Amino acid sequence: MAASNPAATTLTPLRWRALEASHARRADEYTADHRRRRSRHETHPVQDFLFTYYPTKPAQLRRWHPGVGVTLLDAPERASARWYTRGHVPGSAVVDVAVYLEQRRDTVVYVHDLLGATRSRPGQFGCFGLHEWAMVYRQDPAQVRHRSTPLRLGSEGTDSVVESHQLRCTHFDAYRFFTPEALGRNAEPLSRADQPAREQPGCLHAGMDVFKWATKLGPVVPGELLLDTFELAWDIRELDMRASPYDLTDWGYEPVPIETAAGKATYVAAQRAFAERSDALRVRLLEVTGAVLHGA
């Protein structure tokens, strides 16, 4: 099936192959340690999360796509790839938006609506990262997720921090990992069904999930944007765990002690900065979903 409209941008083989190689190098810089650990059957309590919770393999992350409306000259191998088609120039390739939308419309609409709804709400900055604390609240030490990493304040100290605060989590995919005793302490119960009505830009996990939505959109997302969302998730994950109840000093991470006024201030300042970064990336993803939905 040939593309129905001339592409807005055309890239020569020299140009697009350089972009492809640069993208792979950038991805490899982030995945090298994870790939090395995996070959040795080793784990990392902070960095591995982006490759386990988000089911995106390093090989998928390093695969570059030009995005919507970009014709790649001399790219016959791309023309036969899934969701690509031949461009108007012989031997060229372009993302087949029509076929992609036919097969992935529900996903595109969901992501588009969720990102737009998230942007429409004011950020909330009073949770102080207590979701990680709620995941180990009154939990048997043998069941703690990172059992090889000690709790900074011990079990009783961790429980006391939870009990001295109001849990204000708005993100279902954090809330669903709360211990049974912690669920009832949240300001409001959460469900998958009401996720689009709850997501707000101050949430660290909603910020990390911008990467998830980019991966779900596949080849319509330009490679640079995909890696920008990954880098945001990488940076947020570090703060998420530094503010957690775990003692990660042996891994090179200084704690953000959210049980103190100074720690709370540090957390909120970083949270606001991440909210700005995630909002900018949501705008870029909305431009992608809008282009797909409007047949660009």
Side-chain angles (χ1 to χ4, degrees):
M1 174 179 174
S4 59
N5 294 301
T9 302
T10 299
L11 297 180
T12 65
L14 184 64
R15 178 58 178 156
W16 74 258
R17 292 189 187 280
L19 290 172
E20 182 180 52
S22 177
H23 175 95
R25 287 193 298 271
R26 184 181 170 195
D28 287 346
E29 288 177 2
Y30 277 97
T31 65
D33 288 343
H34 172 74
R35 287 182 281 115
R36 184 162 46 249
R37 285 191 302 271
R38 187 175 58 184
S39 70
R40 300 172 180 173
H41 304 287
E42 298 172 350
T43 60
H44 192 290
V46 179
Q47 297 175 5
D48 287 347
F49 176 83
L50 297 181
F51 304 101
T52 54
Y53 178 76
Y54 297 116
T56 301
K57 295 178 174 61
Q60 293 172 290
L61 192 66
R62 80 192 304 269
R63 181 164 174 75
W64 174 81
H65 294 285
V68 175
V70 180
T71 295
L72 305 179
L73 297 180
D74 190 18
E77 71 280 13
R78 287 280 179 147
S80 61
R82 188 183 187 191
W83 290 320
Y84 278 81
T85 189
R86 298 186 304 276
H88 286 272
V89 178
S92 67
V94 64
V95 173
D96 193 332
V97 176
V99 170
Y100 175 85
L101 186 59
E102 179 182 344
Q103 298 178 6
R104 301 284 291 168
R105 177 180 291 275
D106 288 348
T107 296
V108 176
V109 170
Y110 181 83
V111 172
H112 184 82
D113 290 348
L114 179 65
L115 294 176
T118 303
R119 290 201 69 232
S120 72
R121 301 184 183 106
Q124 299 177 32
F125 302 99
C127 70
F128 307 123
L130 282 163
H131 53 275
E132 286 286 344
W133 300 68
M135 293 177 193
V136 297
Y137 177 64
R138 294 189 178 181
Q139 191 172 51
D140 185 312
Q143 296 178 312
V144 172
R145 183 164 40 132
H146 300 295
R147 289 186 296 277
S148 62
T149 306
L151 296 175
R152 186 166 52 83
L153 303 180
S155 295
E156 291 186 5
T158 299
D159 292 349
S160 294
V161 171
V162 174
E163 290 165 357
S164 65
H165 291 78
Q166 171 67 69
L167 299 179
R168 300 184 183 279
C169 186
T170 59
H171 188 71
F172 177 72
D173 281 317
Y175 172 83
R176 68 189 177 97
F177 290 108
F178 283 17
T179 63
E181 293 82 358
L183 287 172
R185 303 187 68 91
N186 203 49
E188 295 179 299
L190 304 177
S191 70
R192 176 69 70 199
D194 67 11
Q195 183 175 0
R198 300 282 190 181
E199 293 285 65
Q200 49 85 21
C203 172
L204 291 191
H205 275 257
M208 282 194 285
D209 274 359
V210 175
F211 168 61
K212 176 173 74 173
W213 304 128
T215 63
K216 285 187 177 296
L217 293 172
V220 298
V221 175
E224 181 181 12
L225 177 53
L226 173 66
L227 292 187
D228 285 349
T229 66
F230 179 83
E231 288 184 353
L232 173 66
W234 181 280
D235 293 343
I236 290 177
R237 175 60 177 172
E238 180 176 324
L239 174 66
D240 199 33
M241 291 302 286
R242 288 178 61 209
S244 78
Y246 297 103
D247 184 350
L248 295 164
T249 53
D250 287 347
W251 294 89
Y253 299 98
E254 288 297 317
V256 175
I258 55 87
E259 72 276 11
T260 70
K264 285 181 173 66
T266 298
Y267 183 87
V268 171
Q271 190 179 24
R272 290 184 181 278
F274 284 135
E276 291 183 5
R277 284 177 62 185
S278 65
D279 186 66
L281 292 175
R282 287 187 188 96
V283 170
R284 291 166 65 187
L285 279 178
L286 283 167
E287 290 174 352
V288 170
T289 54
V292 172
L293 290 170
H294 292 93

